[in-house]
Amino acid sequence: ALPIYAKSAVPSGQYIVIFKLYGDSACSLYLGAWREYASVAGGFTSFSSQTLKSCDSVYTIDYQLDGGTISGTAPGSYTRWSEAIDLPDEASMSRADALFRYWYELSSDGSELPLTQIPAGSTGDRTIYAKWRYTALYVSAEGDDSASGSTLEKAKATLSGALAAFDAAADDCTVYISGSVSSGGARVDASLAASSLSLVGYTSYSSNPSGENLYAQDSWSDVLDGGAQASTLTIAAGARAPVTVRYLQIQNGQAETGGGIFMAGEGSLALSYVALCENSATAAGGGLYISSGAVTLEECRVHDNGITSGTASAYGAGFYVGGGSLTLNNTAVWGSDMHGSYSWGSGADNCAYG
């Protein structure tokens, strides 16, 4: 170890004096160093002056968290002499409605450049962005599909826009639907690697999250509308995630089969407190068509759905079950135009028909 001397007790001799400059009082941000040769003679007082015209800059790190938080501390600055800086990992990142994916910077053309650390020897101020995978998104009539969907104020415009934004995350995913919104031909298929998917009417949910003392209704204030363009909701073959729908009205779907809902997935579909109404099909299942999977309707109202082809081979204005199973609990079905409801191998309990 080098000897340490008091300033008035340095032995005579020739020395190299090294000056180190730091950017903070804790001496953790090393800016640079310079050296001088000095002669120390006994009985004399020596002076030396040095004018520092420039030194290495202290660069900032600006974390754009997009509503998230970092637990603990994270470096907010560095110099070109700093060692490699590891950015906060997934365990350090949190957000109420999303899970952390990665950090990224923006290239000159606006594309994402993922990174996990700032390498040693880097220079320049850095702005890095947190990338999240959403587990809850919002859709509203005033929304925009180019928005993030992360809050009601930043809501998507269509259900299909929200489903596309889940980024194939293997998590429990929820879409809150506020007001009357377009389904946009919403399709749940194998590309959605969610553990589960819930579609929830936001108005009823926000006022009564527990669902206490709730009862079935013929209509709901939050509406998923098919726009008479296709099935309002399609759960395609290969879809495995269980899907639940609550506190919604599903209407105005129009398709060859399954005007309101077309169910061909391998998982389950559970509807509770849902009004399935005013949908139509030309071949089968005006309100609901099932070719596979287990479907349950509880405290629902299925009414005023229709078959529009007028042919004798068309079946199931209310629902058609050609495969899988259908269970109705405390669910009323009425007002379905042409051939009522048709099932093959389905179960029905506590079902009232009007």
Side-chain angles (χ1 to χ4, degrees), residues 245-270:
V245 185
R246 294 180 291 158
Y247 321 139
L248 275 177
Q249 182 166 314
I250 297 177
Q251 68 177 33
N252 202 23
Q254 190 176 87
E256 181 180 3
T257 53
I261 300 175
F262 179 89
M263 171 61 175
E266 300 173 14
S268 62
L269 170 63

Side-chain angles (χ1 to χ4, degrees), residues 284-315:
L288 168 65
Y289 181 96
I290 305 169
S291 65
S292 67
V295 179
T296 301
L297 276 67
E298 183 166 358
E299 299 290 351
C300 293
R301 297 291 184 262
V302 182
H303 64 90
D304 299 306
N305 300 287
I307 294 293
T308 59
S309 66
T311 64
S313 61
Y315 289 97

Side-chain angles (χ1 to χ4, degrees), residues 42-113:
F44 291 91
T45 300
S46 299
F47 294 91
S48 177
S49 64
Q50 175 73 30
T51 301
L52 189 63
K53 296 182 178 179
S54 65
C55 66
D56 293 312
S57 297
V58 177
Y59 304 111
T60 61
I61 306 173
D62 180 15
Y63 297 93
Q64 294 294 311
L65 301 179
D66 191 23
T69 59
I70 301 175
S71 62
T73 60
S77 55
Y78 72 101
T79 75
R80 70 182 181 92
W81 301 102
S82 298
E83 296 181 355
I85 298 173
D86 291 326
L87 300 175
D89 59 13
E90 184 175 358
S92 303
M93 303 297 295
S94 62
R95 178 173 160 167
D97 60 349
L99 298 175
F100 179 73
R101 290 194 63 201
Y102 55 81
W103 294 103
Y104 68 92
E105 291 181 302
L106 292 176
S107 68
S108 58
D109 62 3
S111 59
E112 295 182 5
L113 300 174

Side-chain angles (χ1 to χ4, degrees), residues 123-350:
T123 59
D125 295 333
R126 312 290 286 260
T127 300
I128 58 175
Y129 301 84
K131 183 74 170 184
W132 304 92
R133 59 177 185 260
Y134 296 109
T135 56
L137 292 173
Y138 294 79
V139 180
S140 78
E142 295 76 30
D144 184 340
D145 274 348
S146 65
S148 68
S150 58
T151 66
L152 191 59
E153 292 72 24
K154 300 177 182 178
K156 298 283 187 181
T158 66
L159 176 58
S160 59
L163 294 178
F166 276 129
D167 200 22
D171 307 299
D172 296 323
C173 298
T174 302
V175 179
Y176 294 104
I177 296 172
S178 177
S180 181
V181 304
S182 169
S183 74
R187 181 183 178 89
V188 179
D189 55 29
S191 67
L192 181 69
S195 299
S196 67
L197 174 66
S198 297
L199 309 179
V200 182
Y202 180 75
T203 303
S204 296
Y205 172 80
S206 60
S207 61
N208 185 9
S210 65
E212 293 183 13
N213 302 316
L214 201 63
Y215 58 90
Q217 300 181 36
D218 298 347
S219 62
W220 293 85
S221 56
D222 297 320
V223 178
L224 189 61
D225 193 290
Q229 300 296 314
S231 298
T232 306
L233 175 63
T234 296
I235 303 175
R240 296 180 176 85
V243 179
T244 61
V245 185
R246 294 180 291 158
Y247 321 139
L248 275 177
Q249 182 166 314
I250 297 177
Q251 68 177 33
N252 202 23
Q254 190 176 87
E256 181 180 3
T257 53
I261 300 175
F262 179 89
M263 171 61 175
E266 300 173 14
S268 62
L269 170 63
L271 280 66
S272 58
Y273 303 100
V274 169
L276 186 60
C277 59
E278 299 177 9
N279 303 283
S280 64
T282 57
L288 168 65
Y289 181 96
I290 305 169
S291 65
S292 67
V295 179
T296 301
L297 276 67
E298 183 166 358
E299 299 290 351
C300 293
R301 297 291 184 262
V302 182
H303 64 90
D304 299 306
N305 300 287
I307 294 293
T308 59
S309 66
T311 64
S313 61
Y315 289 97
F319 52 79
Y320 181 99
V321 186
S325 64
L326 172 64
T327 301
L328 306 179
N329 295 319
N330 299 321
T331 290
V333 183
W334 77 89
S336 296
D337 184 29
M338 186 179 175
H339 297 300
S341 298
Y342 179 85
S343 64
W344 180 264
S346 66
D349 301 295
N350 304 321

